[in-house]
Amino acid sequence: MSKTTRATQVLSQAGIAFTIHTYDYDPGAERVGLQAAEALGEAPQRVLKTLMAEVDGKAVCVVVPSDREVSMKKLASAFRGKSASMMKPADAERLTGYHVGGISPFGQRKAVPTAIEETALAEPLVYINGGQRGLQVRLDPKDALKVLKAMGAPLIA
């Protein structure tokens, strides 16, 4: 497994302090984010999952704790839209250039508006996918917010 991905390159070029953590990705896991948290020995609220969605038909990226579900109503509201839905996996892969299970908010093929669940911003360090299945980057969530030009918002149900 390569530990250099578009995601890690973006973080390095931005001067963001991060560490790389690998684990055995289980493609059969019912909930990939929870499997990552367990494999890393971390609390699920510190291991964030990256989801691709659409608000009023426009692509957005959402980063939330792995043990929580996104509220479509709150997601639409965060992006000042009327309706939100999850993006189809094939569309998410085409848009981001990453495979499902390895989608990172960093270094996506096409930059889209991004929101990070506000409760995650209270954590001193979080894990976010590093652009490859089984690869996580650990960093300050406020640094993630900055490099992604993201907003913090209430997104979870």
Side-chain angles (χ1 to χ4, degrees), residues 135-157:
L135 181 72
Q136 297 279 318
V137 292
R138 186 176 74 167
L139 71 166
D140 182 324
K142 291 170 192 68
D143 285 342
L145 199 66
K146 182 174 68 175
V147 76
L148 293 167
K149 297 179 178 68
M151 67 172 137
L155 301 167
I156 53 180

Side-chain angles (χ1 to χ4, degrees), residues 7-69:
T8 60
Q9 289 172 336
V10 164
L11 292 170
S12 293
Q13 289 167 357
I16 301 296
F18 68 96
T19 56
I20 294 174
H21 302 265
T22 60
Y23 66 97
D24 289 328
Y25 173 81
D26 178 3
E30 190 174 317
R31 296 179 67 186
V32 173
L34 290 178
Q35 188 257 328
E38 186 176 325
L40 292 166
E42 283 291 334
Q45 71 266 19
R46 284 197 293 272
V47 180
L48 309 182
K49 58 186 174 183
T50 305
L51 304 171
M52 300 305 294
E54 294 178 345
V55 173
D56 295 343
K58 295 187 173 133
V60 298
C61 180
V62 188
V63 182
V64 298
S66 61
D67 61 342
R68 304 303 299 269
E69 296 297 321

Side-chain angles (χ1 to χ4, degrees), residues 71-86:
S71 161
M72 291 299 133
K73 186 175 180 178
K74 289 179 181 178
L75 175 59
S77 176
F79 287 100
R80 295 183 170 81
K82 292 182 180 168
S83 68
S85 62
M86 295 308 298

Side-chain angles (χ1 to χ4, degrees), residues 99-121:
H99 294 293
V100 169
I103 293 178
S104 178
F106 311 110
Q108 292 187 358
R109 188 175 285 151
K110 182 177 189 280
V112 298
T114 302
I116 299 175
E117 165 54 39
E118 64 184 6
T119 58
L121 299 174

